[in-house]
Amino acid sequence: MQDSEHSSDYQRIMPLTAEVAVSGTAYSFDMLFSYAVPERLAAKTACGCRVLVPFGKGNKRRIGVVMKLTEGDTARLKPLVSLVDEEPVVSEELLRLAFYLREQTFCTYYDAVKTMLPPAMSVSTKETFRLVKNFTGAGSLSPAAAELLDRLACITDNKELNAVIEEHIIENGRRLPDELCDAGAMDSDNVFRQAVGDAAVRMVRLSDKYMSAPESFDLTPKQKQVAEFLSEYGSAAVREAAYMCGVTESVVKRLCAGGAAEEYEAEVLRRVEGDAEEKRRPEDIVLSPEQQRAHDAVLAQLHERKPAVFLLHGVTGSGKTSVFEKLIDDTVKMGRQAMLLIPEIGLTPQILKRFRSLFGERVAVIHSGLSLGQRLDEYKRIKRGDADIVIGTRSAVFAPLSNIGIIIIDEEGERSYKSDSSPRYTTHDIAKQRCAYHNCALLLASATPSIESYYLAERGAYRLLEMKERYGNAPLPEVSIIDMNLEREAGNRTEFSRKLAEEISANLKNGEQSILLLNRRGYHTIISCCDCYQPVYCPNCSVPLTYHKKNDKLMCHYCGYVSPPVDTCPSCGSKHLKNMGFGTQKLEEELSTFFPSARILRMDADTTFSRYSYEKSFTDFRDGRYDIMIGTQMIGKGLDFPNVTLVGVLSVDKALYAGDFRSYERTFSLITQVVGRGGRGERRGRAILQTFIPEHYIMNLAAAQDYKGFYKEEIAIRRAMIFPPLCDMCIFCFSGNEDISVRLGAEAVLRLMNGKLRELQPKTPVRVLGPVRCSYGRINGKYRYRIIMKCKNSAEMRGFIREVLTESAKLKEMKGVALYADINGDVGV
């Protein structure tokens, strides 16, 4: 017993070491940095808290996150400066996930944590200094510190004092200011400022003094009226109290000044707008036999409380959302939490409306289209437990839920679930990690699953669930493939085949709606020279500029460059320029010419700037305020408009040859999904697929909605070419300001890779391809090359990739060249 007590005493006095993920580090020297936890901070410091630390030789102040706490000797360690948070902002589970993210995506520790938090929670720090009066220890200072102190002592204005110290730190580092602080000659404070503050409203309530002795206060009649109102209702917003009593706010302020009442601030949450449908009950949802079988299989797994992955393959219109609703209802009735992820922001209002009609304010929403304040407040609602159902896009997978029962990823094959910036994670992988931690089910669902997911389902890693019929036995749309070559031979030079024009006319006459897909925005997509045959390129990118008639500008869709229209070829000076290509703006104009009475809604990135524009436009279309919706791929997924009976796909031929091995998969998915938007009501839908390559098997399989036929063709190609899912791919991406420097840097890294592979001799074969210029060799002023490595995503290969990234930073050829690695990212950009 005594030994135990002595051991306990020993543990209590052992100093703490904080292993900190520090902001602003490059991957090549990123690690967990050790800091001593001062005694004054020991009780409050916890894993998941943000801290301020001195970093580097100059002890520059940086924000970090405590990832681990250990006990031991801290004599040689720098101490933490201060705590940013009074309690952890990241849970134990999400800290584990941060380690996983760094391991799998080759990001820094801090970036891994940062991506889990709302952007509004990012903090900046401002350090202020003040001299200590009557300082008597000048004799212990170094000559340089004493000289600085003498200089500062002559400054009487505190603002000027801080400006001088700040300038000294920038030019000379922190050594002397820190010496003055350590000696007691100067004090410093750190003030932290969050990117977006909490929203609050000024409230008023009666004071305790008034409540105990109201007769001791001499109030005016108007003040008495306010006091009586507050006595009845307890508290109210200052503005509300003034309004309800018919007085000005100054009356309320005078009541507070006299001590009869007091003002305080109450936090309010910035609500995500969106009206619910008429209130529904989960019990009223009727499932078809196919839906019920899928539901029951997942529900059985929920009761087992063991992690498992299901792939729900259901044709468009089969009613997958109804299955989601029932499963989420079952989950929350079990006292657990649910998450539904969707690929596009544009789908959020429709889904949110449905789920709020069932579950009310228990639903929280997270996506990048919300304001920073809204995202912050939704995060708070989830963390407090006020919302147990989360709906959102990719970033919602990090929602701070503490007892997850099910995660659903709808349209799971969409590439928007893969992050294009660090950390370059795949949503499915994060969801699997969270399911393993919470012992819950992951349901992947789509009419066009990714090849990787269907491959894993075939092999038994996922459990395959199928829904082959549309809900209510509604037939799939009748699809016609139109050969545009024959249209041109017949003298039709428009973008509308004769059959599509006839079907649009019929729909307008019958009061039915149509959707037209053209996956190119703008007016003319290329301005080309008739003499040198060169298009007018963006000066920052190797991408032709697109003409936008709406603002009469040439625009780059990659870097945002804008210029007035040109009348001279930048390459050869010729005046003979030709407008080519056809975008959604021109489509809208021609439709208005052909069908002057039609009410047309255009949906593309140029018409959806506002976070509310998706919701308003889709609602107006659903309510019948428009006859025809035209747009890019954003209108091709997940939308449900019962009065749409005609879908036209104007041109997707170019997408088949995008230079990526996933081009066929994406094209098949886009055609299948957009065709599936038709005939979801009582009337059968029709679809017109226009193409210059009608014999291509992708067109025919998509027209037949034959996913299994497409999968057999595609998996055979990938086996022959050794592409995922038969292997993993790691893309090493290089970028820099000079083409030759980037190419030489890539070649130097290739030599480094080959040398290390000879030493490593990995267990599985590795193939290295490149370096080659990216499909778009220059974007936003940066030249781009890549090396592609076919391998297996194993611990051994990840270790190899880490070594390459770390050691390449030391190569002289890599000076001025940026490098990152992305496993299973896009190779065709």
Side-chain angles (χ1 to χ4, degrees):
M1 188 72 176
Q2 283 183 333
D3 288 343
S4 174
E5 288 175 356
H6 285 304
S7 174
S8 176
D9 291 339
Y10 175 75
Q11 290 175 359
R12 279 198 295 270
I13 62 171
M14 282 291 286
L16 279 177
T17 298
E19 303 289 328
V20 178
V22 179
S23 61
T25 59
Y27 184 80
S28 57
F29 64 86
D30 181 59
M31 63 181 73
L32 293 183
F33 295 91
S34 299
Y35 290 90
V37 180
E39 193 173 330
R40 60 186 171 83
L41 300 178
K44 292 183 177 180
T45 304
C47 291
C49 284
R50 289 175 297 184
V51 291
L52 188 68
V53 299
F55 189 77
K57 291 182 179 179
N59 286 333
K60 187 175 180 181
R61 301 300 192 242
R62 290 194 185 179
I63 302 292
V65 179
V66 178
M67 305 293 284
K68 295 179 183 177
L69 284 171
T70 56
E71 293 178 339
D73 183 20
T74 60
R76 301 181 64 186
L77 300 180
K78 299 176 184 178
L80 301 178
V81 175
S82 63
L83 276 171
V84 177
D85 308 297
E86 292 186 359
E87 59 181 35
V89 293
V90 183
S91 67
E92 178 194 352
E93 180 212 354
L94 294 182
L95 278 179
R96 288 190 188 186
L97 201 53
F99 284 100
Y100 174 82
L101 268 175
R102 187 180 186 275
E103 165 74 13
Q104 293 287 334
T105 69
F106 313 107
C107 66
T108 65
Y109 284 109
Y110 189 81
D111 282 347
V113 175
K114 185 180 176 183
T115 200
M116 301 176 187
L117 299 175
M121 285 184 67
S122 62
V123 292
S124 57
T125 179
K126 176 71 174 176
E127 189 175 16
T128 58
F129 297 89
R130 62 183 178 277
L131 294 178
V132 175
K133 293 180 181 178
N134 304 320
F135 173 65
T136 58
S140 64
L141 297 175
S142 66
E147 182 182 343
L148 177 60
L149 181 60
D150 290 341
R151 180 184 167 199
L152 297 176
C154 299
I155 302 172
T156 56
D157 180 65
N158 199 53
K159 188 175 181 181
E160 184 183 350
L161 174 80
N162 277 276
V164 170
I165 296 173
E166 189 173 333
E167 184 180 353
H168 175 89
I169 290 174
I170 291 171
E171 294 179 356
N172 307 292
R174 297 187 58 95
R175 186 177 65 83
L176 297 182
D178 284 349
E179 184 180 342
L180 292 178
C181 289
D182 292 341
M186 191 164 65
D187 284 336
S188 69
D189 290 314
N190 291 283
V191 178
F192 300 103
R193 184 178 179 185
Q194 191 167 283
V196 176
D198 297 330
V201 62
R202 285 189 305 126
M203 302 287 287
V204 62
R205 63 192 170 202
L206 294 173
S207 65
D208 292 338
K209 188 176 180 182
Y210 179 87
M211 295 291 284
S212 59
E215 67 282 353
S216 63
F217 288 85
D218 184 19
L219 304 182
T220 67
K222 288 184 177 180
Q223 289 174 342
K224 281 182 181 177
Q225 197 175 347
V226 175
E228 288 170 2
F229 172 78
L230 293 176
S231 178
E232 182 178 353
Y233 291 99
S235 64
V238 171
R239 183 176 296 178
E240 179 189 12
Y243 174 79
M244 294 300 292
C245 298
V247 300
T248 63
E249 290 186 31
S250 61
V251 174
V252 181
K253 289 185 177 295
R254 285 196 297 270
L255 190 69
C256 295
E262 59 189 14
E263 281 191 28
Y264 64 99
E265 285 196 340
E267 183 184 21
V268 293
L269 297 180
R270 289 152 285 212
R271 189 174 183 276
V272 178
E273 297 299 326
D275 297 329
E277 295 175 349
E278 186 178 339
K279 187 68 179 172
R280 299 186 296 143
R281 298 187 312 157
E283 295 79 13
D284 296 334
I285 299 171
V286 179
L287 300 182
S288 69
E290 273 192 336
Q291 289 173 317
Q292 193 66 50
R293 283 194 292 273
H295 165 271
D296 292 347
V298 181
L299 181 60
Q301 190 67 35
L302 292 182
H303 285 299
E304 283 191 26
R305 294 187 177 241
K306 292 181 180 178
V309 183
F310 294 85
L311 176 62
L312 176 57
H313 176 215
V315 297
T316 55
S318 57
K320 293 183 285 294
T321 306
S322 295
V323 177
F324 303 162
E325 290 171 337
K326 290 290 277 186
L327 285 170
I328 288 174
D329 179 54
D330 294 327
T331 302
V332 296
K333 282 178 178 173
M334 294 166 65
R336 306 189 78 185
Q337 299 161 322
M339 183 187 296
L340 171 60
L341 303 179
I342 52 181
E344 294 276 354
I345 294 172
L347 300 177
T348 310
Q350 177 178 292
I351 292 291
L352 186 59
K353 198 171 182 180
R354 283 190 67 158
F355 278 82
R356 277 196 174 153
S357 73
L358 282 171
F359 304 107
E361 292 304 310
R362 301 175 70 175
V363 179
V365 60
I366 296 177
H367 61 74
S368 59
L370 301 179
S371 71
L372 295 181
Q374 285 175 321
R375 290 179 74 178
L376 175 64
D377 289 351
E378 290 294 279
Y379 177 89
K380 287 180 190 172
R381 290 180 60 222
I382 298 164
K383 195 166 185 180
R384 292 172 183 169
D386 296 338
D388 49 14
I389 300 168
V390 174
I391 294 174
T393 49
R394 180 178 67 224
S395 60
V397 75
F398 298 110
L401 296 169
S402 57
N403 185 20
I404 303 174
I406 189 169
I407 299 176
I408 301 170
I409 302 182
D410 193 19
E411 306 297 353
E412 68 86 28
E414 292 298 323
R415 293 302 292 175
S416 56
Y417 286 121
K418 177 78 166 70
S419 172
D420 294 326
S421 57
S422 182
R424 294 173 172 81
Y425 65 89
T426 303
T427 308
H428 300 51
D429 293 339
I430 303 302
K432 287 176 192 175
Q433 292 297 310
R434 300 205 71 178
C435 286
Y437 184 88
H438 290 275
N439 288 313
C440 68
L442 171 60
L443 176 61
L444 310 176
S446 181
T448 53
S450 67
I451 297 297
E452 289 85 349
S453 292
Y454 203 84
Y455 177 79
L456 290 171
E458 266 200 333
R459 299 188 69 187
Y462 298 170
R463 184 171 169 187
L464 181 63
L465 308 172
E466 294 186 293
M467 297 196 304
K468 301 177 181 178
E469 302 292 334
R470 279 192 154 191
Y471 185 75
N473 293 317
L476 288 166
E478 180 185 351
V479 183
S480 302
I481 299 178
I482 305 299
D483 186 348
M484 292 303 289
N485 298 296
L486 299 179
E487 292 290 314
R488 296 291 182 263
E489 289 174 11
N492 180 8
R493 297 295 172 186
T494 72
E495 294 299 316
F496 305 99
S497 64
R498 289 163 293 180
K499 183 171 178 61
L500 179 58
E502 290 169 6
E503 294 291 351
I504 292 173
S505 295
N507 260 29
L508 290 171
K509 187 183 295 183
N510 297 331
E512 298 171 8
Q513 293 174 303
S514 308
I515 288 179
L516 301 180
L517 173 79
L518 177 63
N519 205 21
R520 294 194 297 269
R521 62 189 177 103
Y523 192 82
H524 294 299
T525 52
I526 293 178
I527 313 297
S528 183
C529 177
C530 298
D531 292 337
C532 70
Y533 308 110
Q534 286 290 313
V536 177
Y537 281 104
C538 169
N540 306 317
C541 310
S542 53
V543 177
L545 291 170
T546 299
Y547 175 65
H548 287 243
K549 190 174 184 180
K550 191 81 171 177
N551 60 0
D552 192 33
K553 291 287 189 292
L554 293 173
M555 300 180 69
C556 176
H557 293 164
Y558 284 82
C559 73
Y561 173 81
V562 179
S563 81
V566 298
D567 54 13
T568 303
C569 173
S571 299
C572 70
S574 170
K575 296 283 187 180
H576 301 106
L577 299 178
K578 182 180 180 181
N579 297 327
M580 302 171 63
F582 190 86
T584 49
Q585 287 184 8
K586 190 175 182 184
L587 173 61
E588 181 182 25
E589 182 178 284
E590 291 205 1
L591 266 177
S592 299
T593 303
F594 281 115
F595 309 103
S597 63
R599 298 166 297 170
I600 301 166
L601 171 65
R602 176 163 60 91
M603 292 291 291
D604 56 30
D606 301 315
T607 62
T608 51
F609 295 113
S610 162
R611 72 177 73 103
Y612 305 113
S613 54
Y614 291 99
E615 182 173 4
K616 184 180 185 309
S617 298
F618 287 145
T619 300
D620 287 348
F621 188 72
R622 186 178 293 104
D623 292 343
R625 295 190 181 94
Y626 294 98
D627 303 308
I628 303 171
M629 183 197 295
I630 63 176
T632 53
Q633 63 182 0
M634 69 169 62
I635 69 170
K637 308 157 194 163
L639 299 171
D640 189 357
F641 302 116
N643 196 37
V644 170
T645 56
L646 174 66
V647 172
V649 180
L650 272 72
S651 176
V652 290
D653 297 352
K654 187 178 178 183
L656 286 169
Y657 307 106
D660 187 348
F661 71 91
R662 294 188 178 94
S663 297
Y664 283 9
E665 179 181 0
R666 289 176 185 163
T667 306
F668 175 86
S669 176
L670 181 58
I671 297 172
T672 303
Q673 292 284 358
V674 74
V675 165
R677 296 314 104 203
R680 300 171 80 92
E682 297 176 357
R683 289 156 290 197
R684 185 175 187 184
R686 298 105 62 214
I688 309 294
L689 177 55
Q690 297 183 172
T691 176
F692 286 94
I693 44 174
E695 71 284 352
H696 200 293
Y697 73 92
I698 293 294
M699 302 296 173
N700 292 279
L701 290 172
Q705 303 266 297
D706 183 3
Y707 175 81
K708 288 190 176 179
F710 164 72
Y711 173 79
K712 288 178 182 176
E713 294 279 354
E714 186 68 11
I715 200 68
I717 292 173
R718 296 199 186 184
R719 277 200 177 94
M721 302 296 292
I722 315 177
F723 281 133
L726 283 307
C727 72
D728 291 296
M729 271 188 170
C730 181
I731 300 100
F732 292 86
C733 303
F734 303 79
S735 65
N737 294 325
E738 297 179 2
D739 188 17
I740 185 66
S741 298
V742 180
R743 182 171 61 81
L744 292 175
E747 290 172 353
V749 171
L750 178 64
R751 291 192 293 273
L752 173 67
M753 291 172 65
N754 288 335
K756 295 188 79 62
L757 280 172
R758 281 193 291 271
E759 295 173 11
L760 181 65
Q761 295 182 338
K763 298 173 185 175
T764 55
V766 175
R767 296 187 182 184
V768 180
L769 311 173
V772 294
R773 195 188 302 272
C774 294
S775 301
Y776 295 129
R778 187 170 178 242
I779 294 290
N780 205 14
K782 301 288 186 182
Y783 292 92
R784 305 158 71 237
Y785 282 77
R786 66 181 176 227
I787 294 173
I788 297 173
M789 184 172 73
K790 295 182 180 180
C791 58
K792 183 179 180 182
N793 184 4
S794 62
E796 180 185 41
M797 288 313 302
R798 289 194 299 274
F800 166 77
I801 294 166
R802 279 195 298 276
E803 287 182 15
V804 170
L805 292 175
T806 302
E807 294 182 23
S808 64
K810 304 170 187 175
L811 298 174
K812 66 179 187 298
E813 294 91 343
M814 286 295 290
K815 185 178 181 181
V817 178
L819 168 62
Y820 70 81
D822 187 5
I823 291 184
N824 291 331
D826 285 333
V827 300
V829 292

